[in-house]
Amino acid sequence: MCTAAVYRTKDTYFGRTLDYEFSYGDEVTITPRNYPLKFRHIGAIEKNYAILGMAHVVGDYPLYYDAINEKGLGMAGLNFVGNAVYQELSNEKKNVAQYEFILWILRQCATVQEAKDCLVQMQLVGTPFHESLPTAQLHWMIADAKDCIVVECMADGLHVYDNPAE
């Protein structure tokens, strides 16, 4: 069971639990600003916000569980076992593998609204990172100082829900 929350006072706090009895090799990970990133279906991108989070790093590639970027946008991947169904590759949209999703959003979006705008351009696909690593069944929370959404990819498509923290 994983839980994510946003707490707002004069500051904004974004956090999550990773409630497992064992570690997946997660470690505090920093992706520096403008660090070259290679996406499976999109290719290389060199312009990025700096990102700090928890990830399992394979080679030089961070598989983020959760992270926040230099603009204050946070994102967490949470278990959605039995519900997550990823989309097929598309010629009309940017194909983003589920393991790239956090990195893809946080590298370019400063706000939840910018993330929503990017979601319209994206196809969330189930391409695995490696044959030895299964495709994780997740849904995601994305939050900034003002807004919070949940993103779920299911058999009937990609859903975005407002998730106000009142």
Side-chain angles (χ1 to χ4, degrees), residues 24-27 29 31 35 37-38 40 54-65 99 103 128-134:
Y24 283 101
D26 44 304
E27 57 186 290
T29 304
T31 301
Y35 184 79
L37 299 168
K38 186 169 187 222
R40 182 72 55 101
M54 294 301 292
H56 173 70
V57 180
V58 180
D60 285 335
Y61 201 90
L63 301 170
Y64 279 106
Y65 300 104
Y99 68 87
L103 195 56
F129 177 77
H130 186 271
E131 61 196 34
S132 67
L133 297 172

Side-chain angles (χ1 to χ4, degrees), residues 18-24:
L18 190 57
D19 300 336
Y20 285 109
E21 291 124 14
F22 54 88
S23 171
Y24 283 101

